[in-house]
Amino acid sequence: MTVSERAQYAADETASRGRRITEPPSRYRGEYQRDRDRIIHSTAFRRLVYKTQVFVNHEGDLYRTRLTHSLEVAQIGRTVAVALHLNEPLTEAICLAHDLGHTPFGHAGQDELNACMRGFGGFEHNLQSLRVVDELETKYADFPGLNLMFETREGILKHCSARNARALGDVGERFLLRRQPGLEAQLANIADAIAYNNHDVDDGLRAGLLSLEQLREQALFGPQLDVVRERYPDLDDRRLIYEVIRRMIDKVVTDLIENTRRNIEAANPASIEDVRSHDGPLVLMSEDVYAQHVALKRFLNKHLYSHEKKLEMTRRAKAIVRELFAVFMNDTASLPQEFCSLAEAEDEAGKARVVADYIAGMTDRYAIAEHKRILG
Ligand code: MG
């Protein structure tokens, strides 16, 4: 197989379950390319530039935002997709869309909005990403949302409760039948985890919340650090960190490609349907490297995401989300006109959903400004 050839187990638009509303084909682009382009042109995608990954946007210009995170996920996803002869445009589309439903202030915002929505069906950013592309984007005259292909939507919905799955119809089916998504979706999910583990190390070091000596204990980081130090003894810290991180990414991505190749060879799927009915995912790192990856994730959880400096930001962010939610629930007139009329047509749970959609769509700085404007 040449590099650009697609395998029989890759997603194929001619065998796709298609779009919810049928559209004439594009003259120049494939259907998944078109999905990727719709995502890039969406309002929700542009907003990612002002949404927190780990550090709040205004804490520094060099930290990752949700937008640069999504681009790094897509870069890793595309590399692996090409190496495994998967559908590259579909992989890219899923990677770019995977965080569209994220609230302002990262996980702190999502957790608080979920708490506010308890009793109204909860809030889950992953499900919200699907809601953005299915319903909330208002750009096209003929349909709500972006009317994406089934496989793109399947990939965006990474996990889902049985109750939500039942309400979602076709795209929720696999959670009830315990089936897998296509390989492109499996890949986008892992590319996400690889990207954040690595860039959070970089951002954490940059912010001074992590140290090289602390990270040296990590099986993914330590050996790479020693190699770079030995080869370039006089290297300044900034370049040293990059040299270590590029080696870490290379190690994990290479392992992912090789191990997945072995899995595919053993399972020998003849189509995406075989992939879907295989008992378990096929796109996986080897056990060894996966254990190192998880250890690093745990380390970041303990030392970066739960750092005292981060927790202070978390408390402030949660208060902003909680207080905005309460204000809008009590007084829908304080919502912008289009959300206000939507909310007034609904019962209490429907109103809460409209408020959650509005808050989830906010960027960090817009949420801060709204909070200041309304609550002083
Ligand atoms: Mg992500």
Tab-separated table of all heavy atoms in Angstrom, residues 53 66 69-70 73 95 98-99 102 125 158 192-193 196, ligand 1:
chain	number	residue	atom	x	y	z
A	53	GLN	N	-7.423	25.967	28.286
A	53	GLN	CA	-7.064	24.557	28.279
A	53	GLN	C	-6.759	24.202	29.736
A	53	GLN	O	-7.556	23.578	30.401
A	53	GLN	CB	-5.866	24.319	27.356
A	53	GLN	CG	-5.429	22.879	27.262
A	53	GLN	CD	-6.516	21.939	26.709
A	53	GLN	OE1	-7.367	22.361	25.933
A	53	GLN	NE2	-6.494	20.707	27.133
A	66	ARG	N	-7.777	26.237	24.039
A	66	ARG	CA	-8.511	25.113	23.435
A	66	ARG	C	-8.259	25.055	21.933
A	66	ARG	O	-8.292	23.991	21.338
A	66	ARG	CB	-10.011	25.272	23.656
A	66	ARG	CG	-10.401	25.007	25.046
A	66	ARG	CD	-11.063	23.659	25.244
A	66	ARG	NE	-11.014	23.401	26.657
A	66	ARG	CZ	-10.587	22.302	27.232
A	66	ARG	NH1	-10.205	21.282	26.498
A	66	ARG	NH2	-10.549	22.177	28.529
A	69	HIS	N	-4.701	23.673	21.351
A	69	HIS	CA	-4.790	22.259	21.758
A	69	HIS	C	-5.434	21.443	20.636
A	69	HIS	O	-4.915	20.400	20.244
A	69	HIS	CB	-5.599	22.135	23.047
A	69	HIS	CG	-6.136	20.762	23.303
A	69	HIS	ND1	-5.333	19.687	23.610
A	69	HIS	CD2	-7.410	20.274	23.254
A	69	HIS	CE1	-6.089	18.605	23.750
A	69	HIS	NE2	-7.352	18.934	23.539
A	70	SER	N	-6.557	21.931	20.113
A	70	SER	CA	-7.275	21.190	19.064
A	70	SER	C	-6.405	21.024	17.814
A	70	SER	O	-6.453	19.979	17.150
A	70	SER	CB	-8.585	21.898	18.701
A	70	SER	OG	-9.395	22.009	19.850
A	73	VAL	N	-3.908	18.292	18.545
A	73	VAL	CA	-4.581	16.987	18.479
A	73	VAL	C	-4.715	16.566	17.013
A	73	VAL	O	-4.433	15.426	16.642
A	73	VAL	CB	-5.977	17.051	19.154
A	73	VAL	CG1	-6.727	15.728	18.966
A	73	VAL	CG2	-5.855	17.377	20.638
A	95	CYS	N	-10.912	15.530	15.291
A	95	CYS	CA	-9.951	16.172	16.204
A	95	CYS	C	-10.266	17.654	16.383
A	95	CYS	O	-10.255	18.176	17.500
A	95	CYS	CB	-8.522	16.021	15.678
A	95	CYS	SG	-7.897	14.334	15.739
A	98	HIS	N	-13.527	18.098	18.561
A	98	HIS	CA	-13.763	17.327	19.788
A	98	HIS	C	-14.021	18.197	21.022
A	98	HIS	O	-14.683	17.767	21.949
A	98	HIS	CB	-12.622	16.330	20.037
A	98	HIS	CG	-11.447	16.925	20.759
A	98	HIS	ND1	-10.504	17.711	20.140
A	98	HIS	CD2	-11.084	16.872	22.063
A	98	HIS	CE1	-9.609	18.095	21.036
A	98	HIS	NE2	-9.938	17.609	22.207
A	99	ASP	N	-13.537	19.423	21.027
A	99	ASP	CA	-13.723	20.273	22.212
A	99	ASP	C	-14.683	21.443	21.981
A	99	ASP	O	-14.718	22.374	22.791
A	99	ASP	CB	-12.357	20.819	22.679
A	99	ASP	CG	-11.692	19.899	23.696
A	99	ASP	OD1	-12.351	18.951	24.172
A	99	ASP	OD2	-10.513	20.137	24.024
A	102	HIS	N	-16.847	22.692	24.902
A	102	HIS	CA	-16.257	23.027	26.189
A	102	HIS	C	-16.728	24.380	26.703
A	102	HIS	O	-16.860	25.337	25.965
A	102	HIS	CB	-14.732	23.004	26.120
A	102	HIS	CG	-14.165	21.882	26.927
A	102	HIS	ND1	-14.189	21.883	28.298
A	102	HIS	CD2	-13.607	20.714	26.562
A	102	HIS	CE1	-13.651	20.762	28.735
A	102	HIS	NE2	-13.296	20.027	27.703
A	125	HIS	N	-19.518	18.060	28.529
A	125	HIS	CA	-18.943	18.828	27.416
A	125	HIS	C	-18.870	18.022	26.121
A	125	HIS	O	-18.986	18.569	25.027
A	125	HIS	CB	-17.571	19.389	27.796
A	125	HIS	CG	-16.498	18.367	27.916
A	125	HIS	ND1	-15.798	17.902	26.836
A	125	HIS	CD2	-16.009	17.717	28.980
A	125	HIS	CE1	-14.927	16.998	27.242
A	125	HIS	NE2	-15.042	16.861	28.540
A	158	LYS	N	-17.713	10.837	22.291
A	158	LYS	CA	-16.773	9.838	22.789
A	158	LYS	C	-17.395	8.923	23.830
A	158	LYS	O	-17.089	7.755	23.906
A	158	LYS	CB	-15.569	10.541	23.431
A	158	LYS	CG	-14.563	11.024	22.437
A	158	LYS	CD	-13.294	11.447	23.137
A	158	LYS	CE	-13.358	12.907	23.530
A	158	LYS	NZ	-12.060	13.452	23.942
A	192	ASP	N	-5.981	13.142	21.431
A	192	ASP	CA	-6.337	14.145	22.434
A	192	ASP	C	-5.503	13.929	23.703
A	192	ASP	O	-4.865	14.851	24.221
A	192	ASP	CB	-7.839	14.007	22.733
A	192	ASP	CG	-8.356	15.040	23.709
A	192	ASP	OD1	-7.720	16.109	23.845
A	192	ASP	OD2	-9.414	14.788	24.325
A	193	ALA	N	-5.484	12.695	24.186
A	193	ALA	CA	-4.767	12.379	25.428
A	193	ALA	C	-3.254	12.576	25.273
A	193	ALA	O	-2.591	13.065	26.186
A	193	ALA	CB	-5.074	10.944	25.849
A	196	TYR	N	-2.549	16.499	25.197
A	196	TYR	CA	-2.574	17.270	26.449
A	196	TYR	C	-1.510	16.838	27.439
A	196	TYR	O	-0.932	17.662	28.130
A	196	TYR	CB	-3.975	17.424	27.047
A	196	TYR	CG	-4.699	16.190	27.555
A	196	TYR	CD1	-4.222	15.448	28.641
A	196	TYR	CD2	-5.914	15.813	27.002
A	196	TYR	CE1	-4.905	14.350	29.108
A	196	TYR	CE2	-6.610	14.706	27.473
A	196	TYR	CZ	-6.096	13.980	28.526
A	196	TYR	OH	-6.770	12.893	28.994
B	1	MG	MG	-9.308	17.856	24.238
